[in-house]
Amino acid sequence: MSDTTEALSAIPQFAADELEAPPLSLRQLAWRRFRRHKMALFGAVMLALLFVYCFGGALWVSEDYANYTDTKARLQAPSVSHPFGTDTVGRDILARTIYGGQISLIIGLTAMLVELVIGVLIGALSGYYGGWLDSILMRFTEAVFVIPQLFLLIVMAKFFGGKVPNLTLLGRTFSGSVVVVILIIGATSWVYLARIVRAEFISLKEREFILAARAIGTPARQIIFGHILPNSIAPIIVSATLSVAAAILSESYISFLGMGVQAPTATWGNMLEGAMNYIEEAPWFWIFPGTLIVLTVLSINFLGDGLRDALDPRSRVV
Amino acid sequence: MTETEPLVRVEGLVKHFPITRGILIRRQVGAVQAVDDVTFSIARGETLGLVGESGCGKTTVGRTVLGLYPATAGAIVIDGHHVRTAKGAELMAIRRKAQMIFQDPYASLNPRWTVGAIVGEPLRVHKLCRDEKERLDRVKELMQLVGLSPRLINRFPHEFSGGQRQRIGIARALASQPLFVICDEPISALDVSIQAQVVNLLEDLQERFGLTYLFIAHDLSMVRHLCTRVAVMYLGVLVEMAQRDEVYESPLHPYTQSLLSAVPVPDPQVARSRKRVLLEGEVPSPINPPGGCRFHLRCPQAEARCATDRPAWRDVGGGHWVACHRV
């Protein structure tokens, strides 16, 4: 009998304790969910290592060394003096993957940002306002959509190439061609994102919480960026992470055609391109930049996957 | 403006949703005549119940009155402000004075916002608090007011039950200290046991803040409990409006009579002995509503002119409005 009363009295106490626990903040919750996602954690760590490799490595190796040609040491296999081997003109591949990685990562991330800004803006305006604005923006999007991206890349690269002066940032001089490539990739890849965002906005704007916000008098800008955009973050993050990978690959296409980042500036993309004719006789030539591209793309995708789950408050995994 | 001026006045309200065809060149091929020539007014502190079956345009009336849907024609005046022409500061004044509680407590709260952000939104938008701390205090006060623990301020909507979520929606609606609140079926998505709690809360709040309600519902017994006056809607038009007891005890319009006879009675003996007015057929489509009286196809008392002339919406005495040729 006393056991029963004891057991019963324990129930409300337990419930009270649970209520008294201080609620976790948004960030804490997101971090907890993110931590659970082992692959995302792996992606984040790997990406951090890649950044350390590319930007920290620059402290040990100078850019001049990465671009130094030694015709006596052409196509050497990995050795103590050249751990990753040398390329066709005797440049050290280890040094070039470090500096090439900087450019590739910068191109991938900034081109994604350009794409994100254009795609989200056009998709959001089109989806939220609808009507004639939607018709105009979507016809424009479709016009960009139907032209093959490669063709656009070539035409724009030819048109803008060499018109942008070199610029100095963080003590390094970047070839103007890097900026051109970033803008071109950003400007040609936003169409998918714009359509995804538009579709999300069209479905979300009819929801009752948007009506409630309108009844409150919340300005359209806040409804778009405060209410609708956070609710469509999942597909945007997925699309953005994929586009980092796509941007790194796009850069190698145009570099391949001689219109991308100009030599001697290295990128992982144009290093791969240079290895085209030596796939069998000098595998170190493509293995190292290729592996780095694969690792980067994979890590970013895992990271995006984890972020999507972590940023969703409805997710039950805590 | 005098004290006798009603808080809300709606005259000849029409809302048609156009049906369009074509991709590049849009042309209108028809319209859903959701609301057609609706006139009513609500006095300060009063609760007007708006009843009718699903799809008759009740929700559209509510949303159009607040200007969430642009009206096709008619006049809407809330506390002296014309909703259809209001812009800028005047529109914001209307938004502050008139609020809405929604039907679906699951869809009406942003799933990515915390309760604090949701309830605090009107305070932020209308700049009603000096700083962050004052806003937080006010949000906690509002949460207490609707019976939620202020400790739950950082929780997300999905962590609450339906009834609690509806309380969050009520707290949000009250944040800007409105005069007029449209309750759009606030209880129909809730469990019966929770319905009573929410209705009592709405009553308490009305008493405390002198709120004026437009209470949209299809539960006739709940409306009888809560409302001072009741308006009955059928296929986009008002058919009858009067003091609550008058509507329930001496309904004049045949549709109201039939609607009331469908209310279940808990006593089986009374239920068996009572006269049921059963209607024939289905509610016609609002895309192509019948001419004349919209109810004539199903009306047990219809006569020839009902099919051709639209009955006027008139006061038959003592504030009892009805639209029927036979009355």
Side-chain angles (χ1 to χ4, degrees):
Chain A
M1 189 61 203
S2 66
D3 282 358
T4 321
T5 40
E6 216 166 82
L8 281 174
S9 65
I11 294 168
Q13 267 170 12
F14 173 70
D17 280 348
E18 201 180 41
L19 277 175
E20 286 300 335
L24 292 163
S25 78
L26 273 172
R27 273 199 206 102
Q28 283 172 311
L29 279 172
W31 170 237
R32 279 191 170 198
R33 280 192 290 261
F34 186 75
R35 232 173 21 189
R36 278 284 177 101
H37 209 298
K38 293 285 178 266
M39 292 313 270
L41 219 52
F42 163 80
V45 170
M46 186 50 78
L47 212 57
L49 288 177
L50 283 163
F51 269 88
V52 168
Y53 176 74
C54 294
F55 292 90
L59 299 172
W60 305 100
V61 196
S62 74
E63 189 170 15
D64 289 340
Y65 178 64
N67 294 336
Y68 175 75
T69 58
D70 179 3
T71 44
K72 290 194 291 280
R74 297 175 65 235
L75 290 173
Q76 282 187 357
S79 62
V80 179
S81 55
H82 299 291
F84 286 4
T86 60
D87 69 2
T88 45
V89 288
R91 291 177 294 206
D92 182 56
I93 290 181
L94 172 66
R96 287 185 74 72
T97 52
I98 290 173
Y99 282 93
Q102 291 187 5
I103 304 290
S104 285
L105 287 177
I106 289 172
I107 287 179
L109 293 173
T110 44
M112 178 265 282
L113 286 180
V114 172
E115 176 193 340
L116 213 57
V117 169
I118 303 177
V120 167
L121 218 58
I122 288 188
L125 291 175
S126 197
Y128 185 75
Y129 288 104
W132 60 268
L133 187 67
D134 179 39
S135 294
I136 291 172
L137 289 175
M138 278 303 113
R139 294 309 84 78
F140 174 64
T141 306
E142 279 153 21
V144 178
F145 198 74
V146 294
I147 306 171
Q149 196 194 6
L150 194 59
F151 178 73
L152 264 182
L153 285 169
I154 294 166
V155 170
M156 289 173 77
K158 192 133 189 104
F159 190 75
F160 295 108
K163 286 184 185 165
V164 180
N166 292 357
L167 71 159
T168 311
L169 200 75
L170 300 167
R172 278 195 66 194
T173 307
F174 289 99
S175 160
S177 57
V178 173
V179 180
V180 172
V181 167
I182 290 169
L183 292 177
I184 289 172
I185 294 174
T188 51
S189 58
W190 55 267
V191 283
Y192 296 96
L193 187 62
R195 294 191 67 92
I196 292 170
V197 173
R198 172 177 176 268
E200 284 287 313
F201 267 63
I202 286 175
S203 86
L204 283 167
K205 74 170 179 181
E206 300 296 336
R207 299 270 292 272
E208 280 193 345
F209 69 86
I210 301 302
L211 271 179
R214 285 175 56 211
I216 283 166
T218 307
R221 194 168 43 82
Q222 285 179 33
I223 292 182
I224 291 174
F225 292 107
H227 281 289
I228 308 184
L229 203 54
N231 278 289
S232 41
I233 204 77
I236 292 177
I237 283 186
V238 172
S239 172
T241 50
L242 288 174
S243 71
V244 172
I248 291 174
L249 295 176
S250 293
E251 178 268 318
S252 65
Y253 297 159
I254 29 183
S255 294
F256 178 76
L257 295 164
M259 291 165 199
V261 177
Q262 300 301 315
T265 306
T267 70
W268 290 340
N270 69 14
M271 289 174 76
L272 268 189
E273 183 269 312
M276 270 297 275
N277 297 323
Y278 303 93
I279 289 174
E280 276 175 52
E281 40 183 315
W284 59 87
F285 202 170
W286 55 267
I287 280 179
F288 295 106
T291 309
L292 287 165
I293 290 181
V294 169
L295 273 180
T296 311
V297 170
L298 218 56
S299 309
I300 293 173
N301 283 341
F302 285 143
L303 182 70
D305 207 25
L307 280 178
R308 185 193 49 199
D309 293 345
L311 294 176
D312 183 358
R314 279 162 299 187
S315 166
R316 290 278 173 188
V317 191
V318 173
Chain B
M1 191 183 9
T2 61
E3 272 301 304
T4 52
E5 168 83 1
L7 181 68
V8 180
R9 197 158 51 80
V10 174
E11 259 166 46
L13 181 67
V14 179
K15 176 60 195 173
H16 291 178
F17 292 100
I19 303 165
T20 55
R21 286 266 164 78
I23 301 159
L24 270 178
I25 305 143
R26 296 240 168 95
R27 65 203 162 81
Q28 193 176 330
V29 292
V32 178
Q33 302 179 20
V35 177
D36 211 357
D37 198 5
V38 161
T39 299
F40 64 88
S41 61
I42 312 174
R44 281 164 202 277
E46 176 184 52
T47 302
L48 176 67
L50 185 58
V51 298
E53 48 201 300
S54 300
C56 73
K58 305 182 298 279
T59 296
T60 307
V61 167
R63 291 179 178 178
T64 313
V65 165
L66 280 194
L68 299 179
Y69 294 158
T72 308
I76 307 152
V77 185
I78 298 176
D79 197 30
H81 304 289
H82 285 264
V83 173
R84 291 189 65 197
T85 53
K87 279 190 181 66
E90 195 185 10
L91 186 64
M92 286 307 268
I94 295 171
R95 294 274 173 260
R96 206 177 62 243
K97 288 176 182 176
Q99 270 302 314
M100 191 155 194
I101 297 167
F102 290 86
Q103 173 177 10
D104 184 350
Y106 288 91
S108 61
L109 306 174
N110 187 337
R112 285 186 177 267
W113 284 24
T114 60
V115 179
I118 290 169
V119 177
E121 189 180 12
L123 304 172
R124 196 166 45 78
V125 168
H126 294 287
K127 300 183 178 67
L128 299 175
C129 293
R130 275 193 310 272
D131 51 34
E132 190 74 16
K133 195 189 166 302
E134 191 185 325
R135 185 161 79 223
L136 223 60
D137 289 343
R138 177 91 177 101
V139 168
K140 287 178 180 167
E141 193 186 312
L142 283 160
M143 286 176 73
Q144 242 155 5
L145 191 71
V146 297
L148 287 170
S149 164
R151 271 201 307 262
L152 306 175
I153 191 164
N154 287 324
R155 298 288 172 98
F156 287 92
H158 73 264
E159 298 176 87
F160 292 90
S161 68
Q164 284 177 316
R165 284 167 144 258
Q166 199 55 288
R167 286 169 192 269
I168 298 169
I170 294 171
R172 171 178 60 190
L174 293 179
S176 61
Q177 296 183 300
L179 304 169
F180 174 50
V181 178
I182 295 180
C183 308
D184 185 4
E185 306 206 29
I187 53 168
S188 59
L190 305 176
D191 275 347
V192 179
S193 56
I194 311 291
Q195 286 185 353
Q197 289 177 17
V198 171
V199 164
N200 289 340
L201 175 67
L202 289 171
E203 277 185 315
D204 288 348
L205 294 169
Q206 178 169 41
E207 211 166 291
R208 215 162 141 178
F209 300 109
L211 297 172
T212 304
Y213 286 145
L214 173 61
F215 193 86
I216 299 169
H218 55 240
D219 181 339
L220 290 164
S221 45
M222 209 52 105
V223 166
R224 183 165 198 181
H225 173 73
L226 199 69
C227 301
T228 22
R229 278 191 309 145
V230 177
V232 182
M233 203 165 170
Y234 178 81
L235 200 61
V237 294
L238 285 182
V239 294
E240 187 162 5
M241 177 171 75
Q243 292 298 321
R244 171 189 58 193
D245 291 338
E246 232 175 295
V247 169
Y248 282 89
E249 274 149 32
S250 50
L252 296 176
H253 197 281
Y255 179 65
T256 315
Q257 288 163 3
S258 130
L259 200 63
L260 287 170
S261 81
V263 175
V265 180
D267 185 340
Q269 280 194 325
V270 178
R272 252 177 248 121
S273 65
R274 133 186 118 120
K275 195 179 130 229
R276 289 271 280 124
V277 186
L278 288 174
L279 293 181
E280 303 273 314
E282 294 285 319
V283 183
S285 160
I287 296 170
N288 189 17
C293 174
R294 286 201 171 179
F295 186 56
H296 81 264
L297 290 174
R298 304 175 71 197
C299 183
Q301 304 167 26
E303 48 190 53
R305 63 177 167 159
C306 294
T308 50
D309 302 339
R310 186 158 173 179
W313 177 237
R314 62 204 159 89
D315 189 346
V316 292
H320 195 144
W321 291 67
V322 69
C324 182
H325 290 303
R326 300 282 308 249
V327 177

